[in-house]
Amino acid sequence: MQRFTWVPRRVLPGTTVAALCLAFAGVGRADTRVYQGLLRSTGLVEVPDRQGSVTYGTCWVVDRRRGLAVTTQHVIGDSTDAVVYFPVRRDAAAVTELAYYHQRVAAVRARVIHCEVRKDLALLGLEALPDDVEAIPLSEQSARPGNTVHSIGNSGVEKGRLWRYTAGQVRSVYRARLRRPNVTVDARFVETQSAINPGDSGAPLVNDRGELVGVVRSMDEQSNLVSLNVDVSEVKALLSVAFWNQVQPLAGALIGLRPQPAPGAAAEQKYPPVQGPWKVTLINLDGEQQSGECRFEVDGTFTLSAHDESGPQTRQGRYSYANGVLLMARDRAETRETLHWVQDRRFTLFADEMLIFDRQPAVAAESPRPKAPAIECPPPPTEKTGGLSPPASNQLLEYRPGTTFPGGSIRPADAPSTSMIAGIALLGATCVIVPLTISAWSRRKSASRTTRSGELVPVGRQPRG
């Protein structure tokens, strides 16, 4: 006989409340863990243009070893360069003030490697990465309705609210066409209830395990509290196309095709680099001139010294440079101006005064120059890179055996070395050369069997020696 145990009614409500509290506490811990993981992979994107405006967005690292990051194409626009800042912590919390990053954090230059306009995705190549930055793994499967998703973005950039966290539920996953000016986006989307605003575009959308399931794109203007995110399958397709764009020049070299110029090569010639020593002439509003020197260091710091009647005056700070636009930031002051180049040896900058920069030849042994103030962001800056480490390779994504696109799984951070591409190219050349060799050998053997010294020999008989 089954026995029943009597439980007082007053115990049930208390037990239910305790269980709910434990459940919500577990969810809170999970959300905090996901947020901290996203902080180690997400960057603020700045795209200045020569008209004086700046577009802000978000990116995330997909491959740390090669310094690859993903964002949305509409953040990049027609630009070939961008500037990326990664979050730093102060008192165990992420610093959210934009001015702090301009004045104290080393900027990372990013070059646009590949764009998929119809998918609204862009792949960036980063010149250097902080030591604590990690790549986000891609989910093997797309999100499903009812799943919880998380993201952090920079929609509050102009109000000092960087790295804002948001969470929501997946409503639906489908393919759709969205019209943009001059282009129609045709992609697979993850529709969520997350609150998305301008500046969040390009942010990673991850599941509870911290795996990427989408890229934040925009709000649905025709619905309330509905956001649209590009599905992870489109990201895998982007990486696959970038891989084949790298393989094609190698295959073309084997058959004598002329390689195409790399993306951004023309822009780099149009906007020469500013790194190195310069002679400076300063002209104020009264027409008075001063001479000086300026040096833009590899670690993103600059030192500008001018000489007048009262003696030398030194300005120190940090700089970033993209699309021909230079940002020079000091304590409580910053200037972002378009440079006007004369070939690649001189440029002028118009701010409160006009500055004329003339490039100086590099000197092998120079006297030590004054250093910029120490920055607060960990890890401590090194002498050469200012706390940033260059990627292990500047190559694009390589193919991993057994990986399928777009439905399969890929973790670009674990991709094999560059020997894979050389092996693929060698295999392709072998597939072409071996059949030709066999065909030539067969024709030669057939000719030797049908003729000897100009005489015809029956097929079934062997020639005599």
Side-chain angles (χ1 to χ4, degrees):
M1 185 178 72
Q2 187 175 4
R3 303 180 63 181
F4 295 90
T5 303
W6 178 78
V7 180
R9 292 184 177 181
R10 294 182 180 179
V11 176
L12 290 175
T15 305
T16 304
V17 171
L20 290 175
C21 291
L22 291 175
F24 281 111
V27 172
R29 288 193 298 270
D31 292 351
T32 301
R33 183 178 66 253
V34 172
Y35 174 76
Q36 294 299 329
L38 288 174
L39 275 179
R40 291 192 292 269
S41 308
T42 308
L44 165 68
V45 180
E46 284 187 359
V47 186
D49 62 27
R50 299 183 64 82
Q51 285 68 42
S53 63
V54 181
T55 300
Y56 295 98
T58 308
C59 71
W60 53 277
V61 176
V62 67
D63 189 331
R64 173 180 171 80
R65 184 166 172 265
R66 292 169 182 81
L68 299 180
V70 175
T71 186
T72 52
Q73 189 277 331
H74 72 263
V75 168
I76 299 300
D78 297 331
S79 300
T80 57
D81 293 320
V83 177
V84 176
Y85 293 96
F86 287 95
V88 296
R89 291 175 175 82
R90 182 175 55 191
D91 299 332
V95 179
T96 62
E97 294 82 11
L98 179 61
Y100 179 91
Y101 290 89
H102 286 171
Q103 298 168 7
R104 298 180 179 272
V105 179
V108 178
R109 185 192 176 196
R111 294 191 59 194
V112 180
I113 294 177
H114 182 73
C115 283
E116 287 290 339
V117 180
R118 293 183 62 83
K119 307 299 181 182
D120 201 9
L121 292 176
L123 186 63
L124 306 178
L126 307 179
E127 287 192 347
L129 286 173
D131 295 337
D132 58 346
V133 169
E134 300 177 357
I136 298 180
L138 307 185
S139 175
E140 295 184 1
Q141 299 178 348
S142 298
R144 298 180 180 179
N147 290 160
T148 301
V149 289
H150 317 261
S151 68
I152 59 174
N154 300 298
S155 54
V157 58
E158 296 180 353
K159 299 179 180 179
R161 300 172 185 173
L162 299 176
W163 326 118
R164 295 204 295 185
Y165 168 81
T166 184
Q169 303 292 321
V170 177
R171 292 166 53 99
S172 182
V173 181
Y174 51 83
R175 179 168 295 277
R177 292 185 177 182
L178 304 178
R179 292 186 177 181
R180 284 178 49 198
N182 302 324
V183 68
T184 299
V185 177
D186 184 358
R188 183 176 174 87
F189 291 99
V190 180
E191 182 182 294
T192 69
Q193 294 177 326
S194 306
I196 302 301
N197 294 284
D200 292 328
S201 296
L205 186 75
V206 301
N207 55 24
D208 289 334
R209 297 184 297 275
E211 300 171 337
L212 186 102
V213 295
V215 180
V216 175
R217 183 185 180 275
S218 64
M219 293 291 294
D220 188 345
E221 298 178 355
Q222 300 178 353
S223 303
N224 295 325
L225 196 60
V226 175
S227 62
L228 299 177
N229 312 269
V230 182
D231 185 66
V232 63
S233 62
E234 304 290 4
V235 177
K236 295 176 182 178
L238 172 76
L239 300 177
S240 178
V241 171
F243 160 73
W244 284 113
N245 283 348
Q246 182 187 20
V247 172
Q248 286 175 357
L250 294 177
L254 294 175
I255 59 177
L257 294 180
R258 184 177 181 181
Q260 298 295 322
E268 190 160 309
Q269 295 177 0
K270 186 177 181 181
Y271 308 128
V274 298
Q275 179 183 324
W278 298 82
K279 178 182 177 182
V280 183
T281 302
L282 298 87
I283 305 176
N284 60 23
L285 297 178
D286 297 329
E288 300 175 347
Q289 295 188 12
Q290 299 179 21
S291 61
E293 300 86 24
C294 183
R295 187 177 183 88
F296 296 97
E297 302 289 353
V298 180
D299 62 359
T301 60
F302 75 89
T303 302
L304 175 62
S305 300
H307 308 277
D308 57 13
E309 298 178 354
S310 59
Q313 298 180 357
T314 302
R315 309 173 191 176
Q316 297 175 326
R318 288 199 167 272
Y319 77 94
S320 67
Y321 179 65
N323 301 321
V325 180
L326 178 66
L327 170 67
M328 302 177 69
R330 298 181 295 144
D331 291 338
R332 301 180 182 180
E334 63 180 48
T335 300
R336 191 194 300 267
E337 298 292 339
T338 300
L339 303 186
H340 303 272
W341 285 90
V342 180
Q343 296 182 351
D344 62 345
R345 309 294 302 177
R346 167 180 290 191
F347 69 84
T348 56
L349 188 153
F350 298 92
D352 296 336
E353 53 193 353
M354 184 175 73
L355 293 86
I356 303 175
F357 291 75
D358 290 291
R359 191 185 298 274
Q360 299 298 300
V363 180
E366 296 180 344
S367 59
R369 296 177 178 271
K371 297 183 179 180
I375 61 175
E376 300 180 25
C377 63
T382 62
E383 184 177 349
K384 294 184 178 180
T385 62
L388 301 178
S389 58
S393 171
N394 60 357
Q395 299 173 359
L396 301 186
L397 188 68
E398 296 176 2
Y399 180 77
R400 172 194 286 185
T403 299
T404 58
F405 295 98
S409 171
I410 181 172
R411 294 177 182 265
D414 301 329
S417 64
T418 57
S419 61
M420 177 62 67
I421 292 180
I424 293 175
L426 180 60
L427 179 61
T430 304
C431 293
V432 175
I433 296 173
V434 170
L436 294 177
T437 305
I438 294 175
S439 177
W441 177 77
S442 299
R443 289 195 300 268
R444 183 177 179 181
K445 184 176 181 181
S446 176
S448 65
R449 296 180 62 187
T450 57
T451 180
R452 180 175 180 269
S453 300
E455 298 178 356
L456 296 179
V457 180
V459 176
R461 297 173 54 186
Q462 297 295 329
R464 295 181 181 181

